[in-house]
Amino acid sequence: MTKYEQAEGILDDASGGEFERTPVPKSKLKGWKSFIGMYAGEHAAGTEFMIGPLFLTAGVSAFDLIIGLLLGNLLAVLSWRFLTAEIAIKNRLTLYFQLEKICGKKLVTGYNLANGILFCFLAGSMITVSATAVGIPFDMPMPKLTDTMPNGVTWVVIVIIIGAVISLIAARGYDTVTKAANVMSPVIVIAFLACGVVALNQLGVGSFSDFWNIWGEGAEPFPGQIKFTFWHVVIWSWFANGAMHIGMSDLSVFRFAKEAKAGWATAAGMYVGHYMAWIAAALLYAVYLKSPEAMAFLSNGDAPPVAPGPLAYNAIGVFGIIAVVLAGWTTANPTIYRAGLAFQAILPKLSTAKVTILAGTIATIAGLFPAFAMKLLGFVALYGFILAPFGAIIVFEHFFHKKVGIIKNYAEVANLSFNKSVFWAWAISFGLFYFISIQFDVFLSFVTLPAWLLCGVLFLVFSKRFQNK
């Protein structure tokens, strides 16, 4: 579900200069095959162990889940291919430098702050995931689906230790983060596949109809969860990485692509991680729901806990514990590193190591509170809703600046530090649709695309007006 400061593996040979403020030269460009392994590995990670089971708690039906994920992930791939990759190969700039040219340095600072904090919360949820595995040998009580606060001293100690280790490793720099992730990712993919196969056997699945009947016609959502329909699955899976594709974060990745067709490589991540891995994790939870412990929770009107560690351990033993720890690690570690870089743009006098430790501390504190992981579907929706509209600024300027008659990269041309056209476009679109979501109880992912479109249109309108003054 996260992106490293540069794509792992793709940028190893560019470690001496990552072209943060210049276009990538032709000598450093990569073919589309170079992106397949990166996306397949990165999107089969700690978040998948949480998201799969959460679909079951939302009462999805078989059709809604299986077909909805097929369509939603296809829309995500198309967004990467025809928006992100297309713009990336034209400009070959990072998201941050591209935004700075349009928005100005002061406004980009605000974006970096929001980005860094949201990354810390995401990393915290992955520390929570790893803690559910580490806690198994200590008979640690697992957090419940409705828990928001730490449930004991053992939980607090384990989370702090995991957070400290992850933060210290992330502080060693980009090379350490990416090399470790490259080794771990194949192990995690194999673990997801093994979990799915074992869970099918435990569920007694002998045919496709048996598999389909695991979800059947759906059910009522668990206490504290909302009901997911077909369109919930489609729209949510489309925008689960909204900040990366329509939000343009992956400009930093695809600026190294020789051709825009490299965007098709994202299908490896969507259909290995956001399809196979989500369904495999859901199967693990389906096995648990048949246990006496889960039945007791349900009979009392409580939601059974979603604890990835015990779920994987029940399927593949110690290998499951290792896989969950690694999966949480490979998500939290680069996420903390990225958050540190975002904070460094705000606190340039601090070293990369110090801001990374700062980010790790915030993430560890967040990890103490299970709500970030247990409400991951809602948090990911909020994350995309906040950041994606900034991508609309880049997209609409790129495709329509000539037709509308506005100056491209206006902040750079006019030497502005704060482009009010960008600010008001984002603030109005965010405020309006967030109000609609809260006031009328509309699922946040449903208003992400309207907010994105409105932000882009308003940017063009405001730019036309303010630039002609």
Side-chain angles (χ1 to χ4, degrees), residues 141-225:
M142 294 297 162
K144 299 182 179 65
L145 196 60
T146 53
D147 281 354
T148 56
M149 303 297 291
N151 62 2
V153 175
T154 305
W155 172 262
V156 172
V157 172
I158 288 175
V159 167
I160 290 175
I161 292 173
I162 293 173
V165 171
I166 289 175
S167 301
L168 290 171
I169 294 174
R172 293 177 62 87
Y174 174 71
D175 285 343
T176 301
V177 171
T178 55
K179 286 177 182 177
N182 280 328
V183 173
M184 295 177 186
S185 292
V187 176
I188 297 166
V189 172
I190 292 171
F192 273 114
L193 187 59
C195 283
V197 171
V198 172
L200 287 173
N201 183 60
Q202 291 175 329
L203 291 167
V205 173
S207 64
F208 183 73
S209 62
D210 291 339
F211 172 73
W212 190 269
N213 288 333
I214 292 171
W215 296 274
E217 297 300 317
E220 289 300 310
F222 287 4
Q225 307 300 300

Side-chain angles (χ1 to χ4, degrees), residues 73-145:
N73 286 318
L74 174 61
L75 291 170
V77 172
L78 292 174
S79 300
W80 264 302
R81 166 60 183 86
F82 292 105
L83 292 178
T84 319
E86 200 69 40
I87 294 174
I89 66 161
K90 295 292 193 306
N91 301 321
R92 301 201 179 282
L93 301 174
T94 66
L95 166 70
Y96 302 107
F97 191 43
Q98 185 71 67
L99 276 178
E100 184 179 313
K101 286 173 171 286
I102 302 171
C103 306
K105 288 186 178 180
K106 287 185 178 178
L107 192 50
V108 167
T109 297
Y111 175 88
N112 283 335
L113 179 62
N115 209 8
I117 292 173
L118 289 169
F119 268 131
C120 286
F121 290 164
L122 178 62
S125 70
M126 292 304 98
I127 293 173
T128 297
V129 167
S130 291
T132 65
V134 175
I136 291 176
F138 302 99
D139 292 325
M140 180 187 74
M142 294 297 162
K144 299 182 179 65
L145 196 60

Side-chain angles (χ1 to χ4, degrees), residues 381-446:
L382 176 63
Y383 171 80
F385 177 73
I386 292 173
L387 297 182
F390 278 96
I393 303 296
I394 296 174
V395 172
F396 277 68
E397 185 195 71
H398 178 83
F399 287 107
F400 303 115
H401 76 280
K402 289 183 179 179
K403 293 180 180 179
V404 176
I406 63 172
I407 299 171
K408 190 176 182 180
N409 299 329
Y410 186 65
E412 180 183 51
V413 173
N415 196 28
L416 294 178
S417 62
F418 190 95
N419 187 340
K420 57 186 178 181
S421 299
V422 174
F423 173 76
W424 286 114
W426 176 84
I428 292 172
S429 59
F430 172 85
L432 173 62
F433 284 102
Y434 191 73
F435 171 79
I436 290 173
S437 175
I438 298 299
Q439 185 68 25
F440 300 102
D441 196 26
V442 178
F443 185 52
L444 202 55
S445 289
F446 286 163

Side-chain angles (χ1 to χ4, degrees), residues 124-395:
S125 70
M126 292 304 98
I127 293 173
T128 297
V129 167
S130 291
T132 65
V134 175
I136 291 176
F138 302 99
D139 292 325
M140 180 187 74
M142 294 297 162
K144 299 182 179 65
L145 196 60
T146 53
D147 281 354
T148 56
M149 303 297 291
N151 62 2
V153 175
T154 305
W155 172 262
V156 172
V157 172
I158 288 175
V159 167
I160 290 175
I161 292 173
I162 293 173
V165 171
I166 289 175
S167 301
L168 290 171
I169 294 174
R172 293 177 62 87
Y174 174 71
D175 285 343
T176 301
V177 171
T178 55
K179 286 177 182 177
N182 280 328
V183 173
M184 295 177 186
S185 292
V187 176
I188 297 166
V189 172
I190 292 171
F192 273 114
L193 187 59
C195 283
V197 171
V198 172
L200 287 173
N201 183 60
Q202 291 175 329
L203 291 167
V205 173
S207 64
F208 183 73
S209 62
D210 291 339
F211 172 73
W212 190 269
N213 288 333
I214 292 171
W215 296 274
E217 297 300 317
E220 289 300 310
F222 287 4
Q225 307 300 300
I226 67 169
K227 171 68 176 178
F228 262 40
T229 65
F230 175 76
W231 290 111
H232 282 81
V233 175
V234 171
I235 300 299
W236 190 89
S237 58
W238 182 8
F239 295 127
N241 288 113
M244 305 304 174
H245 46 74
I246 65 170
M248 296 291 111
S249 182
D250 275 4
L251 290 179
S252 301
V253 173
F254 286 116
R255 66 199 174 107
F256 284 86
K258 289 180 180 178
E259 299 176 282
K261 69 179 182 181
W264 293 119
T266 57
M270 295 303 95
Y271 290 102
V272 172
H274 292 190
Y275 197 76
M276 182 275 287
W278 282 354
I279 291 176
L283 292 172
L284 290 178
Y285 194 58
V287 172
Y288 171 67
L289 291 178
K290 294 183 178 295
S291 69
E293 179 184 300
M295 292 291 188
F297 277 107
L298 291 171
S299 63
N300 291 329
D302 297 324
V306 177
L311 295 179
Y313 178 70
N314 179 56
I316 54 177
V318 175
F319 182 45
I321 295 178
I322 295 171
V324 172
V325 172
L326 294 184
W329 193 96
T330 55
T331 306
N333 213 348
T335 303
I336 289 172
Y337 175 71
R338 279 287 300 275
L341 291 174
F343 291 149
Q344 192 175 38
I346 304 169
L347 304 167
K349 292 183 179 180
L350 292 182
S351 67
T352 301
K354 287 181 179 179
V355 292
T356 304
I357 293 296
L358 171 63
T361 301
I362 297 172
T364 302
I365 293 172
L368 291 170
F369 301 93
F372 287 108
M374 301 305 157
K375 300 293 184 181
L376 194 58
L377 294 180
F379 173 73
V380 169
L382 176 63
Y383 171 80
F385 177 73
I386 292 173
L387 297 182
F390 278 96
I393 303 296
I394 296 174
V395 172

